[in-house]
Amino acid sequence: MLTALFRSSSRRGASHNLLKREFATPGSKAKEELDDIFLPLVAVVGRPNVGKSALFNRLVGKREALVHNTPEGHVTRDYKEGLARLSDLRFKVVDTSGLEPSAAAGTIQARATALTSGVLNQSTLALFLVDAREGVLGQDADLAKWLRKNCSTPVLLAANKAERRGASGTSGVEAALTDATRLGFGDPIAISAETGEGMTELYAALQPVLDEHESFHKQQAQKDEEGKERAVQLAIMGLPNVGKSTLANYLLGRERSMTGPEPGLTRDAVHGRLAWEGRNIDLVDTAGWMRRNRLHNYDESGGAVAEQTLQQGQRSMHMAAVVVLLVNAEDVRDRGAGVSKRELALASDVIKEGRALLIVANKLDACSEDERSAVMERIHSQFQASTSEVAALPLHGLSAKTGEGAQNLLPAAMQLYDTWNKRLTTSRLNNWREKLVMRHQGDGATGSALARIRYITQVKSRPPTFAVFVSGGLDFSENARRFLIKALQKDFEFEGVPIRAEIRYRKRKQNAGQPRRSPMAANQQPPVVQKRAARQAA
């Protein structure tokens, strides 16, 4: 019976191919189409290193969760949520930390287990993963007992790493599959997150539970989506141990990210959604920004996990609309040099990426009133000097631990987001251009450069980008371009966001200063005369 979970075939991956043939026809779409808020939630749980993150990545269709073989450690700590598609099933899936219910109180794994317990209480289904290669271990039995006691949602048992091997197409793990029935959750579904085998059987097991959930929530999902504003992507970034996860938990109103004194506690980018004054915000708590040349110091795998963590942070920056760069005010007070070079470099990277940047000084509760003013002034002056291309860089002070000042963070971030999205009409821009040229007539090289501008139009927002058409083929100097950007920022209140100005020439620069070549130049006859002479010669 258990061996029949894999349909007999001599080809490796036949189950995965069958899923493609039966369900994933070209152009097919998932069942239409519940709002993400109402989608069923499947939590993938299990002891460490059974392949939970690999299955998560397969279900969401991209490498979002960190995956690395660390037998003595744990790659995943916070849980990670993604949107999964399995044929026409559409659901949310959560990759949880390796569960160790017997972990000592106060340890990282004990805190991770507490987080996972909260996720299970909100889940539609728990997908309990065991390792078919290793068989059922004592940790699996302990976890099964813990799930029966603490999990009120249905539990589906799956045995991962059950790939077929050899010409016979057998998996060679039948004994482990049989043994898994003693966990008390029925026959396991044999799957391979690595190769995709067993996805057909997983689909068949998930479908009844998820369809029931979809039917229940169908009425709530009948909304008109027209005009619905997209969620604002807000990323919290900074060095390790500056309080990013504490701030994220405060804003979300729950313990979404694990917090503690251990450096590098957050590894995956942790997502959460909140609503503020009718606007949806997708909040991303990123791992501490690390030096690429010292990644080997950050984990027990020689830097392999840290490399993936750094790449996730870069992706979070690229996807964000607003980046909150968190700085430890206590460190700035105690450090002679003030803000670190890594923080200044990170701010510069955010601006180059075209994201709106909000500097936030955290842990102000550790500073006296007199110290706060000095620390805030120092932070602002250092960041403003290193990011001169952004006018009036906004700075906000708070304590994520006590909540002091944190209530003003979202209004500041949303104001910055609106500025980042601002668009100006072409007529308004060119009326302003005329006044700008008149205002700076006779101002030497700057005035002469501005006088060459014939037309300005905004070609895009996010970030605000302008096309500036100038006469002549000579270079429009970089100083004049920066002057123009600063004038735009000041006069149209683009404070706190990067602006891009693309210079476009009415003549090609390579022809600048060169006289137009006449067809008669250098004793050359016009083409018509040359052809006539050639015919006569023939």
Side-chain angles (χ1 to χ4, degrees), residues 230-237 244 247-248 251-252 269-274 276 280-286 316-325 355-360 406 408-417 420 462:
R230 75 169 78 182
V232 179
Q233 303 292 318
L234 179 67
I236 302 177
M237 306 190 73
K244 298 182 296 299
L247 179 59
L251 295 174
L252 292 169
V270 178
H271 295 252
R273 175 166 286 198
L274 67 145
W276 179 80
N280 289 326
I281 300 173
D282 281 340
L283 186 68
V284 184
D285 171 24
T286 66
S316 296
M317 180 197 301
H318 177 73
M319 297 300 295
V322 179
V323 172
V324 173
L325 176 50
R355 309 301 105 180
L357 177 63
L358 176 60
I359 307 297
V360 174
N408 299 321
L409 175 61
L410 291 180
M414 291 303 98
Q415 181 179 353
L416 204 57
Y417 174 77
W420 190 63
R462 309 167 62 90

Side-chain angles (χ1 to χ4, degrees), residues 45-50 52 71-74 98-103 109 128-131 134-147 182-183 185:
V45 298
R47 62 176 172 82
N49 292 305
V50 295
K52 298 182 298 298
E72 302 301 324
H74 303 262
L99 281 173
E100 294 185 28
S102 59
Q109 280 313 113
F128 179 18
L129 223 58
V130 297
D131 188 329
E134 294 186 351
V136 176
L137 304 182
Q139 286 177 284
D140 297 310
D142 292 343
L143 182 51
K145 183 178 179 180
W146 184 87
L147 286 172
R182 67 182 174 90
L183 295 174
F185 297 109

Side-chain angles (χ1 to χ4, degrees), residues 67-325:
V67 178
H68 191 75
N69 183 22
T70 55
E72 302 301 324
H74 303 262
V75 174
T76 303
R77 288 173 176 169
D78 296 290
Y79 65 86
K80 190 171 186 66
E81 185 176 309
L83 185 61
R85 291 183 184 270
L86 186 59
S87 180
D88 60 348
L89 291 179
R90 184 168 173 264
F91 55 96
K92 290 183 288 187
V93 61
V94 174
D95 173 29
T96 65
S97 176
L99 281 173
E100 294 185 28
S102 59
T107 62
I108 291 176
Q109 280 313 113
R111 281 177 273 162
T113 298
L115 275 178
T116 300
S117 181
V119 173
L120 287 171
N121 291 333
Q122 304 171 33
S123 300
T124 311
L125 179 79
L127 183 57
F128 179 18
L129 223 58
V130 297
D131 188 329
R133 296 178 193 167
E134 294 186 351
V136 176
L137 304 182
Q139 286 177 284
D140 297 310
D142 292 343
L143 182 51
K145 183 178 179 180
W146 184 87
L147 286 172
R148 282 193 294 272
K149 181 179 179 181
N150 295 280
C151 182
S152 58
T153 57
V155 177
L156 182 64
L157 180 63
N160 190 31
K161 306 182 186 179
E163 301 89 353
R164 291 188 194 84
R165 291 180 176 81
S168 64
T170 60
S171 64
V173 294
E174 287 78 4
L177 296 175
T178 303
D179 191 32
T181 59
R182 67 182 174 90
L183 295 174
F185 297 109
D187 294 337
I189 302 167
I191 65 170
S192 170
E194 183 178 351
T195 67
E197 296 171 71
M199 293 298 110
T200 301
E201 288 76 18
L202 182 60
Y203 172 93
L206 290 174
Q207 185 183 27
V209 181
L210 302 190
D211 279 356
E212 181 180 355
H213 176 99
E214 180 178 349
S215 177
F216 179 78
H217 287 280
K218 203 72 174 179
Q219 283 190 341
Q220 298 181 66
Q222 300 304 316
K223 296 179 178 180
D224 181 12
E225 293 293 325
E226 290 184 14
K228 185 176 179 181
E229 187 178 6
R230 75 169 78 182
V232 179
Q233 303 292 318
L234 179 67
I236 302 177
M237 306 190 73
L239 302 187
N241 272 35
V242 295
K244 298 182 296 299
S245 296
T246 303
L247 179 59
N249 289 342
Y250 177 88
L251 295 174
L252 292 169
R254 66 183 192 277
E255 190 177 2
R256 174 61 182 87
S257 299
M258 195 188 309
T259 60
E262 300 88 349
L265 192 58
T266 300
R267 285 178 169 175
D268 284 288
V270 178
H271 295 252
R273 175 166 286 198
L274 67 145
W276 179 80
E277 294 192 356
R279 305 174 81 167
N280 289 326
I281 300 173
D282 281 340
L283 186 68
V284 184
D285 171 24
T286 66
W289 198 252
M290 297 169 285
R291 298 180 184 177
R292 183 172 291 277
N293 61 346
R294 295 190 182 179
L295 294 181
H296 60 280
N297 294 331
Y298 284 95
D299 58 56
E300 63 276 9
S301 60
V305 174
E307 175 67 30
Q308 295 181 56
T309 297
L310 184 60
Q311 291 173 0
Q312 277 199 354
Q314 291 169 333
R315 285 196 297 269
S316 296
M317 180 197 301
H318 177 73
M319 297 300 295
V322 179
V323 172
V324 173
L325 176 50

